[in-house]
Protein backbone atom coordinates (compact mmCIF):
# COMPACT_ATOMS: atom_id res chain seq x y z
CA UNK A 1 0.00 0.00 0.00
CA UNK A 2 1.43 3.42 -0.96
CA UNK A 3 1.95 5.92 1.82
CA UNK A 4 -0.17 9.04 2.23
CA UNK A 5 2.52 11.40 0.89
CA UNK A 6 2.70 9.56 -2.45
CA UNK A 7 -1.06 9.76 -2.85
CA UNK A 8 -1.07 13.55 -2.55
CA UNK A 9 -1.32 15.58 -5.73
CA UNK A 10 1.73 17.63 -6.79
CA UNK A 11 1.24 21.39 -6.34
CA UNK A 12 3.61 24.10 -7.62
CA UNK A 13 3.49 27.39 -5.65
CA UNK A 14 5.46 30.49 -6.66
CA UNK A 15 6.35 33.21 -4.12
CA UNK A 16 6.22 36.64 -5.76
CA UNK A 17 7.52 39.76 -4.00
CA UNK A 18 7.08 41.82 -7.16
CA UNK A 19 10.76 42.77 -7.33
CA UNK A 20 12.99 42.13 -10.32
CA UNK A 21 14.14 38.63 -9.30
CA UNK A 22 10.76 37.09 -8.49
CA UNK A 23 9.22 38.82 -11.52
CA UNK A 24 11.91 37.43 -13.87
CA UNK A 25 11.43 33.98 -12.33
CA UNK A 26 7.66 34.05 -12.88
CA UNK A 27 7.94 35.35 -16.45
CA UNK A 28 10.45 32.65 -17.40
CA UNK A 29 8.48 29.90 -15.66
CA UNK A 30 5.43 30.89 -17.71
CA UNK A 31 7.45 31.13 -20.96
CA UNK A 32 9.22 27.81 -20.42
CA UNK A 33 6.03 25.95 -19.67
CA UNK A 34 6.84 25.09 -16.05
CA UNK A 35 3.84 24.02 -13.96
CA UNK A 36 2.26 26.69 -11.75
CA UNK A 37 -0.80 26.16 -9.57
CA UNK A 38 -0.58 29.30 -7.41
CA UNK A 39 1.37 32.58 -7.26
CA UNK A 40 1.50 33.96 -3.72
CA UNK A 41 2.23 37.59 -2.96
CA UNK A 42 2.28 39.13 0.54
CA UNK A 43 1.02 42.72 0.53
CA UNK A 44 2.39 44.91 3.33
CA UNK A 45 0.11 47.77 2.28
CA UNK A 46 3.18 50.03 2.12
CA UNK A 47 4.48 49.32 -1.38
CA UNK A 48 5.07 52.06 -3.94
CA UNK A 49 2.04 52.87 -6.13
CA UNK A 50 4.14 51.84 -9.16
CA UNK A 51 4.67 48.41 -7.57
CA UNK A 52 0.91 47.84 -7.25
CA UNK A 53 0.53 48.78 -10.92
CA UNK A 54 3.33 46.35 -11.79
CA UNK A 55 1.68 43.54 -9.82
CA UNK A 56 -1.64 44.19 -11.55
CA UNK A 57 0.10 43.96 -14.93
CA UNK A 58 1.67 40.64 -13.86
CA UNK A 59 -1.72 39.42 -12.66
CA UNK A 60 -3.27 40.18 -16.06
CA UNK A 61 -0.46 38.34 -17.88
CA UNK A 62 -0.68 35.35 -15.54
CA UNK A 63 -4.43 35.13 -16.14
CA UNK A 64 -4.04 35.45 -19.92
CA UNK A 65 -1.35 32.73 -20.06
CA UNK A 66 -2.39 30.32 -17.31
CA UNK A 67 -5.91 31.26 -16.21
CA UNK A 68 -4.66 32.12 -12.70
CA UNK A 69 -4.84 35.26 -10.59
CA UNK A 70 -2.31 36.28 -7.95
CA UNK A 71 -3.16 35.00 -4.48
CA UNK A 72 -2.92 38.07 -2.23
CA UNK A 73 -1.92 37.45 1.40
CA UNK A 74 -2.56 40.30 3.82
CA UNK A 75 -2.38 40.79 7.58
CA UNK A 76 -5.95 41.43 8.78
CA UNK A 77 -4.98 44.73 10.46
CA UNK A 78 -1.98 46.00 8.48
CA UNK A 79 1.30 47.84 8.98
CA UNK A 80 0.14 50.93 10.86
CA UNK A 81 -2.02 48.90 13.26
CA UNK A 82 1.00 46.72 14.07
CA UNK A 83 3.21 49.78 14.43
CA UNK A 84 0.93 51.82 16.69
CA UNK A 85 -1.99 49.79 18.04
CA UNK A 86 -1.19 46.10 18.62
CA UNK A 87 -1.43 45.45 22.37
CA UNK A 88 1.55 43.71 23.94
CA UNK A 89 0.56 40.33 25.39
CA UNK A 90 3.74 38.67 26.69
CA UNK A 91 4.36 39.38 30.40
CA UNK A 92 8.07 40.03 29.75
CA UNK A 93 7.22 42.64 27.07
CA UNK A 94 4.66 44.33 29.33
CA UNK A 95 7.09 44.40 32.27
CA UNK A 96 9.90 45.78 30.10
CA UNK A 97 7.72 48.53 28.64
CA UNK A 98 6.34 49.50 32.04
CA UNK A 99 9.91 49.73 33.36
CA UNK A 100 10.91 52.00 30.47
CA UNK A 101 7.68 54.02 30.64
CA UNK A 102 6.82 53.12 27.04
CA UNK A 103 3.31 52.57 25.61
CA UNK A 104 1.97 49.00 25.85
CA UNK A 105 0.53 49.38 22.35
CA UNK A 106 2.32 49.07 19.02
CA UNK A 107 5.71 47.79 17.87
CA UNK A 108 7.16 51.15 16.90
CA UNK A 109 9.60 51.54 14.04
CA UNK A 110 11.16 48.29 12.77
CA UNK A 111 14.92 48.09 13.24
CA UNK A 112 17.89 45.96 12.14
CA UNK A 113 17.37 43.60 15.10
CA UNK A 114 13.58 43.56 15.24
CA UNK A 115 12.20 43.48 11.71
CA UNK A 116 8.65 42.70 12.80
CA UNK A 117 7.30 44.08 9.52
CA UNK A 118 9.04 41.47 7.35
CA UNK A 119 8.14 38.73 9.82
CA UNK A 120 4.46 39.50 10.33
CA UNK A 121 3.54 41.02 6.96
CA UNK A 122 5.58 38.86 4.59
CA UNK A 123 7.41 35.68 5.65
CA UNK A 124 4.84 34.54 8.24
CA UNK A 125 1.97 34.87 5.75
CA UNK A 126 3.85 33.09 2.95
CA UNK A 127 5.08 30.27 5.23
CA UNK A 128 1.63 29.83 6.73
CA UNK A 129 0.06 29.45 3.27
CA UNK A 130 2.86 27.14 2.03
CA UNK A 131 2.43 24.96 5.13
CA UNK A 132 -1.33 24.87 4.57
CA UNK A 133 -0.75 23.74 0.99
CA UNK A 134 1.78 21.14 2.15
CA UNK A 135 -0.95 19.68 4.35
CA UNK A 136 -3.08 19.07 1.25
CA UNK A 137 -0.52 18.47 -1.50
CA UNK A 138 3.05 17.50 -2.26
CA UNK A 139 3.93 21.17 -2.56
CA UNK A 140 6.93 22.46 -4.49
CA UNK A 141 7.76 26.05 -3.47
CA UNK A 142 9.60 28.37 -5.88
CA UNK A 143 11.46 31.47 -4.65
CA UNK A 144 13.00 34.26 -6.76
CA UNK A 145 16.60 34.50 -5.61
CA UNK A 146 19.29 35.29 -8.19
CA UNK A 147 22.38 33.18 -8.84
CA UNK A 148 24.69 35.83 -7.32
CA UNK A 149 22.91 35.75 -3.92
CA UNK A 150 24.07 32.32 -2.61
CA UNK A 151 23.79 33.35 1.06
CA UNK A 152 19.99 33.62 0.75
CA UNK A 153 19.52 30.06 -0.52
CA UNK A 154 17.82 27.71 1.96
CA UNK A 155 15.68 24.68 1.17
CA UNK A 156 13.17 25.83 -1.45
CA UNK A 157 13.44 25.68 -5.26
CA UNK A 158 15.33 28.52 -6.94
CA UNK A 159 14.88 28.53 -10.74
CA UNK A 160 17.09 31.61 -11.29
CA UNK A 161 19.94 29.86 -9.46
CA UNK A 162 19.38 26.71 -11.53
CA UNK A 163 19.49 28.81 -14.71
CA UNK A 164 22.52 30.88 -13.57
CA UNK A 165 20.66 34.19 -13.84
CA UNK A 166 22.15 37.12 -11.88
CA UNK A 167 20.33 40.12 -10.38
CA UNK A 168 21.44 42.34 -13.26
CA UNK A 169 20.26 39.79 -15.83
CA UNK A 170 16.94 39.36 -14.00
CA UNK A 171 16.22 43.09 -14.27
CA UNK A 172 17.08 43.05 -17.99
CA UNK A 173 14.74 40.07 -18.52
CA UNK A 174 11.91 42.15 -17.01
CA UNK A 175 12.76 45.22 -19.12
CA UNK A 176 13.00 43.14 -22.31
CA UNK A 177 9.45 41.93 -21.75
CA UNK A 178 7.99 45.38 -21.08
CA UNK A 179 8.02 45.32 -17.27
CA UNK A 180 9.75 48.54 -16.19
CA UNK A 181 8.31 48.83 -12.64
CA UNK A 182 7.14 52.35 -13.42
CA UNK A 183 10.79 53.45 -13.36
CA UNK A 184 11.37 52.44 -9.71
CA UNK A 185 14.66 50.65 -10.39
CA UNK A 186 15.95 53.71 -12.25
CA UNK A 187 15.49 55.71 -9.04
CA UNK A 188 15.96 53.27 -6.16
CA UNK A 189 18.43 50.45 -5.57
CA UNK A 190 15.68 48.20 -4.18
CA UNK A 191 11.90 48.45 -4.37
CA UNK A 192 10.93 47.52 -0.81
CA UNK A 193 8.38 49.39 1.34
CA UNK A 194 8.66 53.14 0.92
CA UNK A 195 8.56 53.69 4.70
CA UNK A 196 11.44 51.30 5.54
CA UNK A 197 13.84 52.78 8.16
CA UNK A 198 16.59 50.46 6.90
CA UNK A 199 16.90 52.47 3.68
CA UNK A 200 20.06 54.51 3.27
CA UNK A 201 20.04 58.32 3.47
CA UNK A 202 20.45 58.52 -0.31
CA UNK A 203 17.33 56.43 -0.91
CA UNK A 204 15.33 58.60 1.52
CA UNK A 205 16.56 61.74 -0.25
CA UNK A 206 15.19 60.27 -3.49
CA UNK A 207 11.90 59.42 -1.78
CA UNK A 208 11.48 63.08 -0.83
CA UNK A 209 12.30 64.16 -4.38
CA UNK A 210 10.39 61.62 -6.45
CA UNK A 211 7.52 60.66 -4.13
CA UNK A 212 6.75 63.81 -2.10
CA UNK A 213 3.27 62.56 -1.13
CA UNK A 214 4.80 59.42 0.44
CA UNK A 215 7.48 61.54 2.12
CA UNK A 216 4.75 63.64 3.76
CA UNK A 217 3.05 60.45 5.01
CA UNK A 218 6.39 59.32 6.42
CA UNK A 219 6.80 62.64 8.27
CA UNK A 220 3.35 62.21 9.85
CA UNK A 221 4.08 58.61 10.86
CA UNK A 222 7.35 59.69 12.45
CA UNK A 223 5.69 62.49 14.44
CA UNK A 224 3.15 59.97 15.73
CA UNK A 225 5.89 57.47 16.65
CA UNK A 226 7.89 60.07 18.57
CA UNK A 227 4.77 61.25 20.41
CA UNK A 228 3.78 57.67 21.35
CA UNK A 229 7.15 56.05 22.07
CA UNK A 230 9.55 58.92 22.75
CA UNK A 231 13.11 59.22 21.41
CA UNK A 232 14.12 55.58 22.14
CA UNK A 233 14.49 52.79 19.53
CA UNK A 234 10.71 52.38 19.01
CA UNK A 235 10.13 56.06 18.33
CA UNK A 236 13.35 56.90 16.48
CA UNK A 237 13.15 56.36 12.72
CA UNK A 238 16.90 55.78 12.35
CA UNK A 239 19.57 55.61 15.04
CA UNK A 240 20.77 59.18 14.49
CA UNK A 241 17.89 60.63 12.51
CA UNK A 242 14.21 61.43 12.88
CA UNK A 243 12.35 62.03 9.61
CA UNK A 244 11.96 65.67 10.61
CA UNK A 245 15.72 66.09 10.98
CA UNK A 246 16.17 64.47 7.58
CA UNK A 247 13.61 66.90 6.15
CA UNK A 248 15.65 69.82 7.50
CA UNK A 249 18.86 68.33 6.09
CA UNK A 250 17.39 67.64 2.65
CA UNK A 251 15.72 71.05 2.48
CA UNK A 252 19.04 72.75 3.34
CA UNK A 253 20.84 70.66 0.70
CA UNK A 254 18.24 71.55 -1.92
CA UNK A 255 18.53 75.23 -1.06
CA UNK A 256 22.33 75.08 -1.30
CA UNK A 257 22.08 73.33 -4.65
CA UNK A 258 19.66 75.98 -5.88
CA UNK A 259 22.05 78.77 -4.83
CA UNK A 260 24.99 77.03 -6.55
CA UNK A 261 22.97 76.59 -9.75
CA UNK A 262 21.96 80.25 -9.70
CA UNK A 263 25.61 81.35 -9.28
CA UNK A 264 26.71 79.18 -12.20
CA UNK A 265 23.88 80.61 -14.32
CA UNK A 266 25.02 84.17 -13.55
CA UNK A 267 28.66 83.34 -14.31
CA UNK A 268 27.83 82.16 -17.85
Amino acid sequence: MSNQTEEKELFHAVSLSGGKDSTAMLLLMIERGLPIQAVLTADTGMEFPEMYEHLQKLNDYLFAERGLHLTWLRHPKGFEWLMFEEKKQRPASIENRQRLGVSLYGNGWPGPRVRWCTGQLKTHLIHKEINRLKGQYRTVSYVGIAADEPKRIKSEHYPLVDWGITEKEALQICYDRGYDFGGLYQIYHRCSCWCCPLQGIGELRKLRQYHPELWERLREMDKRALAQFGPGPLGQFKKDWSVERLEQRFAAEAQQLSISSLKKERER
Side-chain angles (χ1 to χ4, degrees):
M1 184 177 173
S2 62
N3 65 42
Q4 196 175 359
T5 305
E6 288 174 343
E7 289 172 359
K8 287 181 180 178
E9 184 184 340
L10 205 56
F11 192 95
H12 300 268
V14 176
S15 293
L16 177 75
S17 70
K20 63 188 187 313
D21 299 335
S22 65
T23 296
M25 176 186 70
L26 177 62
L27 293 173
L28 290 178
M29 286 182 72
I30 292 170
E31 284 178 19
R32 296 178 181 190
L34 272 66
I36 301 168
Q37 269 78 46
V39 180
L40 313 175
T41 188
D43 178 19
T44 63
M46 309 302 274
E47 310 293 339
F48 283 96
E50 293 91 338
M51 180 55 72
Y52 287 115
E53 289 170 13
H54 168 73
L55 288 166
Q56 184 57 52
K57 187 176 175 181
L58 272 180
N59 179 74
D60 294 344
Y61 177 63
L62 178 66
F63 184 72
E65 293 295 319
R66 297 296 183 90
L68 294 171
H69 286 293
L70 298 181
T71 300
W72 290 87
L73 306 174
R74 296 182 176 96
H75 187 280
K77 301 281 190 176
F79 183 93
E80 292 193 67
W81 182 86
L82 288 166
M83 182 171 173
F84 295 112
E85 296 175 41
E86 183 186 37
K87 188 176 181 181
K88 294 291 104 183
Q89 303 289 348
R90 288 175 56 238
S93 298
I94 293 169
E95 188 181 331
N96 187 46
R97 293 218 178 179
Q98 286 175 334
R99 182 172 56 82
L100 296 171
V102 175
S103 171
L104 297 179
Y105 293 85
N107 293 286
W109 282 117
R113 290 185 180 179
V114 185
R115 296 178 67 172
W116 57 260
C117 48
T118 304
Q120 294 203 56
L121 296 167
K122 289 185 179 180
T123 53
H124 171 72
L125 296 176
I126 293 284
H127 290 161
K128 185 179 176 183
E129 181 61 12
I130 291 291
N131 288 335
R132 187 189 72 78
L133 291 168
K134 283 180 177 177
Q136 292 181 257
Y137 309 99
R138 283 185 294 135
T139 302
V140 182
S141 175
Y142 299 89
V143 179
I145 288 177
D148 48 355
E149 296 183 288
K151 289 180 181 176
R152 294 181 62 200
I153 293 170
K154 294 177 184 174
S155 59
E156 308 297 327
H157 287 73
Y158 304 96
L160 295 183
V161 175
D162 296 340
W163 299 328
I165 294 170
T166 64
E167 285 192 83
K168 185 179 179 182
E169 289 166 342
L171 182 59
Q172 194 58 51
I173 285 165
C174 298
Y175 285 163
D176 289 346
R177 287 152 180 79
Y179 293 85
D180 65 358
F181 303 89
L184 287 177
Y185 279 108
Q186 292 169 306
I187 301 170
Y188 305 100
H189 178 60
R190 290 197 177 276
C191 301
S192 55
C193 297
W194 55 264
C195 60
C196 183
L198 304 180
Q199 296 176 83
I201 300 292
E203 297 284 274
L204 290 161
R205 186 184 288 109
K206 290 173 186 175
L207 180 70
R208 181 181 183 270
Q209 181 182 352
Y210 292 99
H211 289 90
E213 71 292 346
L214 297 180
W215 179 255
E216 287 307 312
R217 274 187 69 188
L218 189 62
R219 288 177 73 185
E220 290 306 313
M221 287 170 68
D222 195 44
K223 286 172 188 172
R224 185 177 173 186
L226 283 167
Q228 183 168 330
F229 302 109
L234 302 183
Q236 187 78 17
F237 180 65
K238 292 179 84 66
K239 188 182 175 186
D240 299 313
W241 296 94
S242 65
V243 178
E244 209 51 43
R245 278 195 63 209
L246 285 170
E247 165 63 24
Q248 291 165 10
R249 171 180 169 171
F250 296 157
E253 288 172 354
Q255 186 178 21
Q256 192 60 45
L257 196 65
S258 179
I259 291 167
S260 298
S261 298
L262 195 61
K263 280 182 180 177
K264 285 179 183 177
E265 195 68 37
R266 286 173 177 171
E267 287 167 4
R268 282 180 184 174

